[in-house]
Amino acid sequence: MPRVLPLSPDLAQAAPAARTAAARHEREHAARLTNMKRTLLRSLPAFDALMSWYPLRDTVVPFLGDRPTVLFAHAISEQTECLICSTFFRRLLIDRGENPEQLLLTDREEGLVALGRALATPPHVIPDPLYDRVTAGMSDTDIVALMAFGSIMLATNVFNNALAIPLDDYLYAYTRTNTDTLARDNS
């Protein structure tokens, strides 16, 4: 049971500024208004803060690549046990034809996954050898963007977990239980 109910899908009870922000978000990012976002829209500064995920992702993808960015965010979300975010990234991987339980990772991707898990594990300290391994060849600008992206991913996970935001209907088929059942049925 969510601790704060998301606004209705039509945003009828939302403040005009929240409806404007939602429309801008959908237009600029071609993104759904999920349960998380409709909850965040109850506080426009909260919505704006966590939706900075999108420009941070768009900053990270050019130097990491799309798949490594997804793997990094997925690792953070799995480590925090955020049902919504981990399932969202499972969906991206599954829709690419990958099995999230049997990912084939390059050395670089293994480092990013380890970095994501470390970032999501209290006390959120990155061991020097891991930091050096992942950031080798990155500029200071890239490193700051990557850590900020990971941090906003972590904040999103914490928000979802703290308020028990319900999983969106479109993600149910991608949960670990459902995809495990699907895999057994197709064997």
Side-chain angles (χ1 to χ4, degrees), residues 76-175:
I76 293 168
S77 301
E78 284 281 315
Q79 190 67 32
T80 63
E81 299 179 13
C82 177
L83 178 63
I84 292 173
C85 294
S86 63
T87 305
F88 174 82
F89 292 109
R90 284 176 60 78
R91 177 184 69 92
L92 294 181
L93 293 166
I94 291 166
D95 286 355
R96 292 176 181 179
E98 297 189 61
N99 178 344
E101 277 67 60
Q102 297 177 343
L103 292 169
L104 300 175
L105 303 174
T106 66
D107 288 342
R108 181 172 181 246
E109 291 168 342
E110 285 178 5
L112 285 164
V113 167
L115 178 69
R117 289 182 181 143
L119 187 62
T121 303
H124 314 287
V125 174
I126 310 302
D128 287 339
L130 177 59
Y131 176 86
D132 293 342
R133 174 182 172 200
V134 172
T135 61
M138 286 186 191
S139 70
D140 288 348
T141 301
D142 292 347
I143 294 167
V144 169
L146 177 62
M147 292 304 170
F149 174 69
S151 297
I152 204 73
M153 187 74 251
L154 182 57
T156 301
N157 288 206
V158 170
F159 176 83
N160 286 328
N161 289 346
L163 292 184
I165 306 296
L167 187 66
D168 296 275
D169 290 345
Y170 82 99
L171 290 174
Y172 278 111
Y174 297 93
T175 61

Side-chain angles (χ1 to χ4, degrees), residues 18-111:
R19 286 195 296 276
T20 299
R24 183 182 66 246
H25 177 74
E26 288 179 302
R27 183 179 63 255
E28 290 177 2
H29 302 291
R32 303 171 193 258
L33 276 184
T34 61
N35 290 331
M36 178 192 78
K37 293 172 189 173
R38 288 186 291 110
T39 303
L40 282 165
L41 282 165
R42 291 185 176 278
S43 166
L44 200 46
F47 179 81
D48 290 342
L50 291 188
M51 291 306 98
S52 68
W53 182 91
Y54 286 88
L56 282 167
R57 181 215 43 208
D58 294 346
T59 300
V60 168
V61 166
F63 66 84
L64 273 191
D66 186 57
R67 183 177 188 265
T69 302
V70 168
L71 292 169
F72 178 64
H74 180 253
I76 293 168
S77 301
E78 284 281 315
Q79 190 67 32
T80 63
E81 299 179 13
C82 177
L83 178 63
I84 292 173
C85 294
S86 63
T87 305
F88 174 82
F89 292 109
R90 284 176 60 78
R91 177 184 69 92
L92 294 181
L93 293 166
I94 291 166
D95 286 355
R96 292 176 181 179
E98 297 189 61
N99 178 344
E101 277 67 60
Q102 297 177 343
L103 292 169
L104 300 175
L105 303 174
T106 66
D107 288 342
R108 181 172 181 246
E109 291 168 342
E110 285 178 5

